[in-house]
Amino acid sequence: KEADKISTEEQFEALLRTYEKLVYSICLKMVKNPFDAQDLTQETFLSAWRSMDRCPAGYEKQWLARIASNKAKDYLRSAWARR
């Protein structure tokens, strides 16, 4: 069980290093605010960490991009509702 945890952590760290800029770029393009984009990037990776077991092998980039765009859409919906 401990070996699984380590490999999952290493796998996640690799995803973070590889796709952090992509996720931030997606969020920034959608919300147009660097501070909100940074928050959404963190939320994206937190969500990804919680559901690593659902990531289809070989589709990590697309999976993270989808999470990021959904987080940004949810944020924009909530911002619109707050107005």
Side-chain angles (χ1 to χ4, degrees):
K1 194 77 175 179
E2 187 65 30
D4 290 344
K5 183 179 176 188
I6 292 169
S7 72
T8 301
E9 288 176 7
E10 289 172 353
Q11 191 180 8
F12 180 75
E13 287 174 18
L15 281 179
L16 182 62
R17 283 192 305 274
T18 305
Y19 299 115
E20 184 176 20
K21 289 179 181 170
L22 170 72
V23 168
Y24 176 78
S25 296
I26 291 168
C27 294
L28 181 61
K29 189 169 186 105
M30 292 181 74
V31 300
K32 306 200 183 336
N33 179 312
F35 301 108
D36 293 335
Q38 185 61 48
D39 288 345
L40 290 167
T41 299
Q42 290 178 5
E43 287 182 30
T44 297
F45 281 103
L46 180 61
S47 183
W49 170 253
R50 289 180 178 149
S51 58
M52 280 290 287
D53 57 327
R54 288 189 237 149
C55 178
Y59 291 93
E60 292 85 1
K61 182 178 182 179
Q62 297 90 327
W63 182 68
L64 284 168
R66 173 64 58 93
I67 295 171
S69 64
N70 286 340
K71 292 282 179 192
K73 287 176 190 174
D74 289 346
Y75 171 80
L76 291 170
R77 274 191 222 109
S78 70
W80 182 258
R82 285 193 303 261
R83 286 186 186 173

